Amino acid sequence: MELKIMPLGAFATNSFLVFMPETEELFVIDPAAEADVIVAEAKKFPFKTARLLLTHAHIDHISAAGKVAKALNISKVELAPGDHDMYMSKENALEPYFPPADDLPEVSDFDKISNCTVISLPGHTRGGSGFLFDDGKEKFLIVGDTLFAGSIGRTDLYGGDYAQLMRSITGKLLVLPDDLTVYPGHGGETTIGFEKKHNPYLN
């Protein structure tokens, strides 16, 4: 696997490219903003097919989805059903930084993903999801805004639920191996073990 991380947009939202050489698949995850940057980096990989995955539907994670999908010949985005309504809503905006997204591609639930397990992580939003990639040589987890280095996702926005978020983190993330690398939706990487020991919200 090859991983490219791009902090983009007004809130430095992490957008990800995951390339699978064996299947020649490219996964675009959370196309936050600056579609031209995402597309230029994507075209550096010798992929045959590209797919667009979303950890959740907040506008700062989907703003560039339409332009990226069109440029890379992607017909739909894949997103947990709990966030489909927010994805399609014109009220999903953070003016003036992120107006409602235009020309969004069709949305569907997740299809099978090569070397990846989708983990349901409701709490930050109703349809929050994580992507645990493991090709037998390398393993890492992309968690969106569920967990951060030293913090957790906010729950005061539409679809947020603090008790549910904590159940997702403690019941689905902290049970994973301590040395597993975690890539949040904002900020730097961390590990499960580090968060167990040092995250003030989890102690």
Side-chain angles (χ1 to χ4, degrees), residues 14 16 141-145 147-149 182-190:
N14 289 327
F16 303 88
L141 176 65
I142 295 172
V143 293
D145 290 359
L147 179 69
F148 301 112
V182 177
Y183 294 106
H186 303 268
E189 67 186 74
T190 185

Side-chain angles (χ1 to χ4, degrees), residues 54 56-60 62-63 77 79 81-95 98-107 126 158-159:
L54 300 178
H56 64 293
H58 280 153
I59 188 63
D60 61 315
I62 71 168
S63 187
V77 302
L79 171 69
D83 273 11
H84 285 196
D85 60 340
M86 180 163 56
Y87 172 83
M88 295 181 288
S89 173
K90 287 298 181 182
E91 295 182 6
N92 188 19
L94 289 169
E95 302 281 9
F98 291 96
D102 293 323
D103 301 320
L104 287 173
E106 177 185 348
V107 62
R126 291 185 298 191
Y158 175 75

Side-chain angles (χ1 to χ4, degrees), residues 143 145-154 165-166 169 173 184 186 190 194-195 198-202:
V143 293
D145 290 359
T146 297
L147 179 69
F148 301 112
S151 189
I152 60 173
R154 61 189 295 181
L165 178 74
M166 295 306 294
I169 293 172
L173 297 184
H186 303 268
T190 185
F194 184 90
E195 296 310 309
H198 302 290
N199 191 314
Y201 295 92
L202 305 180

Side-chain angles (χ1 to χ4, degrees), residues 7-156:
L8 300 171
F11 303 137
T13 304
N14 289 327
S15 296
F16 303 88
L17 299 173
V18 181
F19 177 61
M20 301 290 184
E22 298 82 1
T23 59
E24 297 179 299
E25 289 179 289
L26 179 70
F27 298 102
V28 182
I29 301 172
D30 289 1
E34 302 176 60
D36 54 337
V37 174
I38 298 172
V39 172
E41 291 296 329
K43 289 184 175 180
K44 294 179 182 179
F45 295 99
F47 66 92
K48 287 188 176 179
T49 59
R51 290 167 63 181
L52 204 163
L53 314 177
L54 300 178
T55 61
H56 64 293
H58 280 153
I59 188 63
D60 61 315
H61 289 253
I62 71 168
S63 187
K67 291 181 179 178
V68 169
K70 183 176 181 180
L72 300 181
N73 196 31
I74 300 171
S75 62
K76 65 180 182 179
V77 302
E78 298 172 49
L79 171 69
D83 273 11
H84 285 196
D85 60 340
M86 180 163 56
Y87 172 83
M88 295 181 288
S89 173
K90 287 298 181 182
E91 295 182 6
N92 188 19
L94 289 169
E95 302 281 9
Y97 307 105
F98 291 96
D102 293 323
D103 301 320
L104 287 173
E106 177 185 348
V107 62
S108 77
D109 198 2
F110 298 109
D111 292 328
K112 183 177 180 180
I113 304 172
S114 302
N115 299 317
C116 179
T117 300
V118 178
I119 303 174
S120 176
L121 298 172
H124 177 63
T125 67
R126 291 185 298 191
S129 302
F131 305 114
L132 178 59
F133 285 93
D134 182 1
D135 65 355
K137 303 173 186 176
E138 184 180 6
K139 182 186 293 188
F140 57 83
L141 176 65
I142 295 172
V143 293
D145 290 359
T146 297
L147 179 69
F148 301 112
S151 189
I152 60 173
R154 61 189 295 181
T155 56
D156 59 331

